[in-house]
Amino acid sequence: MKELDTICDFTAYLSAKESIVDKQIVIHGGEENLLGKYLHAGRNFDWMKNYDLIMIDDTIWPALQKKPEFIAKKKLDQVSYGWDSMIDRAHEGSPLVR
């Protein structure tokens, strides 16, 4: 679930999942396939509104990872993760040099 790496992203996903509790959903594979549908649909599950039974197969996540826009976003995220790492190290402090 590295895709939901901010508290806002994570809580938005959980809220979206709460909106589909009345649906019967069969997921082949793991949670990442449901997440893949969520991300592909623009970070929502609105497309499920007209269905009572939803089948999600195990090809969703691998297909999403191959999309050019997904790959481009991951490259852009690397810059952010670099800054996060520097902030974490500064927060942890470093021993005094004598």
Side-chain angles (χ1 to χ4, degrees):
M1 290 291 216
K2 292 176 88 175
E3 301 310 310
L4 306 174
D5 56 0
T6 69
I7 191 65
C8 292
D9 288 345
F10 184 65
T11 56
Y13 178 66
L14 293 179
S15 293
K17 279 182 67 172
E18 286 177 343
S19 74
I20 58 171
V21 295
D22 61 331
K23 305 293 182 188
Q24 292 183 28
I25 303 172
V26 177
I27 303 171
H28 295 279
E31 176 84 13
E32 67 274 7
N33 292 299
L34 181 62
L35 175 62
K37 291 296 274 186
Y38 170 79
L39 295 173
H40 181 72
R43 294 182 178 253
N44 66 67
F45 292 118
D46 293 347
W47 62 274
M48 291 185 181
K49 287 181 182 174
N50 296 323
Y51 302 99
D52 294 323
L53 174 63
I54 295 104
M55 307 277 293
I56 297 177
D57 66 40
D58 60 356
T59 64
I60 304 301
W61 187 251
L64 180 69
Q65 288 180 304
K66 293 177 184 171
K67 290 183 173 273
E69 58 270 25
F70 183 89
I71 294 168
K73 182 183 179 313
K74 296 306 285 179
K75 285 182 182 177
L76 290 173
D77 285 350
Q78 291 303 313
V79 173
S80 175
Y81 297 147
W83 282 106
D84 290 348
S85 175
M86 288 192 309
I87 292 167
D88 287 345
R89 286 192 309 250
H91 177 71
E92 292 168 0
S94 57
L96 293 173
V97 177
R98 294 180 188 216

